[in-house]
Amino acid sequence: MNLQNHLIARIQAGGPIPVSDYMAECLLHPQLGYYTTRDPLGAKGDFITAPEISQMFGELLGLSLAQTWLDQGSPAPFTLAELGPGRGSLMADLLRATRGVPGLHAAMQLHLIEASPTLRAVQNKTLEAYAPEWLDSVDALPDQPLFLVANEFFDALPIRQFIRTGNGWSEKQVGLKDGALTFGLGPAAPQPALQHRLVDTQEGDLVEHCEAAVPVTQAVATRIAAHGGAALIIDYGDWRALGDTLQALRAHEPADPLQAPGEADLTAHVDFEALALTAKTAGCAHTRLTPQGVFLERLGITDRARALAAPLAGEGLETLIAAHRRLTHPDEMGNLFKVLGLYSSQATPPPGLNP
Ligand code: SAH
C-alpha cells in the first residue's frame, strides 16, 4: 500500500476530505507519513531549518529563555520543553549555551513533544545525556513552570482552507477526478471561527484556519499563566494570513502538494494572531511579533558570529558568514520568519522581543 492509493480509497469510500485531513495523512500517517518514515532535514533531505544552519540559533534562544528563567526568580523544578525537535540540534545548542547558568540544568526536566518515531530515535542520540522524556501531546506536560521553544512546528500542523462565498465560506477539499487527486470546493456554510475575517476579506478570498494549533497553544499558555515560564514560537508567517500558503517542498524545490503524497514536506504559513488570541484567552501575555533577524541581532548574533569566526579561515569562515546572513538578512530568513513570545502577565517579556 502506498499513501496515494490509501487516500484514493479513503475518498472513494467517504467522499472528498478537507485539506487538513489530507495534510495530516501525508505528514503523520502511522506507517506511510512523511515525518513518520524519515529524517527530512539537512542538505540530503527536503528542507533545512535555522538550527541546522547554525549553532548560533539555538544558543541565542537558550540565552533568552535562561535570562527569562532568572528574571522569574529561578523557579525549581521547571519544565524545559520543545515542540517538534527535529534532529534535536536546537535543544543541544540551547543546553550547551546555558550550562553555566547556576542551577538551571539541575532544576530542569526536559520534555520533547514529537510524533515521529524516526525523529525520536535521532533526538535520543543527540540529547541522551540530558535524560529527555518524550510526550505524544502537550496535555501530558507537568503542571509546573514551563519554558518552551517551538521552531517550525506550527507550520507543520494541518490547516483548513476556506473561500469566501457571500457571508459564508466554501471549504477547499481534496477529491478525485478521473481517478486522480484534485482540489474541489464544498458547499458554502457559516464558519464561527472565521467570523472576524468577514471584515477584512472579499468574495473569493482564501483564508486558512489551523484548528490543531488551538489546543496546543491553550495547553502551553494555561501552564505559563498558572505557574510562570515563557514560550518562544518561531515560524514563517505573519500576524494575519490571507491567501493560499500551502506549500510542498521536495529536495529543496517547490512541488505540487497533491503529487506524491507522503514524499514531500507540506507546510502552511502560521497565523500568529490566532496563536496570540488563544494564549490571551488562556490568561497568558504575549509579545508583539518580532522578525527573526531583529530578534537575533538584539540577542547579539553578530558578536557571537565574530567570536566563532576568530579561529576560522577559508571555507569555514565563508560558511559562518553565509549562515549569519541566512538567519538574519531581510532577503533571506530574517523577515519571513517571526518570533512570538508568550509569558506570564506578571513577568517581563523574554529578551529580544517587542513587548
Ligand atoms: N524544530 C526542528 C524540526 C522542524 S520539522 C527544526 O527546527 O529543525 C517539524 C517537526 O515537528 C518534526 O520533528 C516533526 O516530526 C514534528 N511534528 C510535526 N507534527 C507534529 C505533531 N502533530 N505532533 C508532534 N510533533 C510533530
Side-chain angles (χ1 to χ4, degrees):
M1 189 63 145
N2 72 23
L3 194 59
Q4 180 155 324
N5 293 339
H6 163 75
L7 285 161
I8 290 172
R10 178 176 164 182
I11 294 166
Q12 274 166 347
I17 57 174
V19 171
S20 52
D21 283 17
Y22 177 75
M23 231 178 135
E25 291 257 43
C26 287
L27 294 180
L28 291 174
H29 183 283
Q31 284 84 41
L32 308 166
Y34 177 74
Y35 284 118
T36 330
T37 52
R38 78 197 71 207
D39 170 1
L41 290 146
K44 289 204 186 71
D46 293 306
F47 61 98
I48 189 150
T49 56
E52 301 301 331
I53 291 171
S54 168
Q55 68 186 78
M56 297 186 286
F57 186 75
E59 290 173 347
L60 294 170
L61 289 179
L63 294 188
S64 179
L65 274 194
Q67 186 59 52
T68 310
W69 179 76
L70 292 169
D71 289 345
Q72 293 186 18
S74 311
F78 77 95
T79 306
L80 178 64
E82 182 169 0
L83 306 179
R87 288 181 172 171
S89 310
L90 191 169
M91 189 51 81
D93 294 332
L94 181 157
L95 288 166
R96 195 184 56 255
T98 55
R99 230 172 5 199
V101 181
L104 185 105
H105 282 207
M108 83 187 178
Q109 292 166 355
L110 182 58
H111 288 286
L112 306 175
I113 290 90
E114 175 56 66
S116 160
T118 309
L119 288 172
R120 280 188 186 201
V122 181
Q123 291 155 20
N124 188 37
K125 278 200 192 129
T126 324
L127 297 167
E128 207 174 8
Y130 300 98
E133 197 180 311
W134 282 269
L135 304 174
D136 292 326
S137 152
V138 278
D139 292 322
L141 284 170
D143 282 316
Q144 62 186 17
L146 171 63
F147 291 80
L148 177 140
V149 287
N151 184 61
E152 293 213 44
F153 169 79
F154 283 96
D155 68 4
L157 296 183
I159 48 142
R160 294 173 72 181
Q161 294 187 317
F162 296 93
I163 291 177
R164 174 91 183 259
T165 313
N167 279 335
W169 303 90
S170 301
E171 180 154 18
K172 206 164 157 183
Q173 299 175 322
V174 178
L176 295 174
K177 191 176 177 210
D178 304 328
L181 296 170
T182 184
F183 284 118
L185 280 185
Q191 290 294 338
L194 296 179
Q195 196 59 32
H196 64 299
R197 301 308 303 268
L198 289 175
V199 183
D200 71 322
T201 55
Q202 298 174 358
E203 184 76 15
D205 279 349
L206 186 150
V207 301
E208 298 175 335
H209 177 54
C210 186
E211 262 168 13
V214 176
V216 177
T217 311
Q218 248 161 9
V220 170
T222 309
R223 279 166 183 75
I224 292 173
H227 308 290
L232 295 176
I233 299 170
I234 308 102
D235 230 306
Y236 72 138
D238 221 319
W239 188 247
R240 186 177 275 206
L242 183 63
D244 184 354
T245 74
L246 182 68
Q247 168 181 299
L249 265 190
R250 202 173 174 189
H252 303 268
E253 294 292 333
D256 175 346
L258 297 184
Q259 201 75 47
E263 300 294 323
D265 185 38
L266 286 182
T267 58
H269 281 202
V270 171
D271 178 356
F272 283 100
E273 179 187 38
L275 303 188
L277 291 179
T278 303
K280 205 168 168 184
T281 311
C284 197
H286 64 82
T287 61
R288 284 188 291 131
L289 215 48
T290 308
Q292 173 175 300
V294 173
F295 175 72
L296 295 174
E297 289 293 359
R298 284 181 183 159
L299 293 173
I301 193 169
T302 300
D303 288 339
R304 181 65 183 128
R306 284 207 184 96
L308 288 170
L312 298 178
E315 204 180 316
L317 182 60
E318 293 303 317
T319 306
L320 179 75
I321 293 168
H324 174 274
R325 183 186 152 89
R326 196 149 175 211
L327 292 178
T328 57
H329 199 280
D331 292 343
E332 305 232 13
M333 296 173 84
N335 244 353
L336 178 61
F337 282 75
K338 313 281 195 310
V339 191
L340 179 73
L342 309 182
Y343 59 106
S344 114
S345 25
Q346 297 92 46
T348 46
L353 295 173
N354 299 326

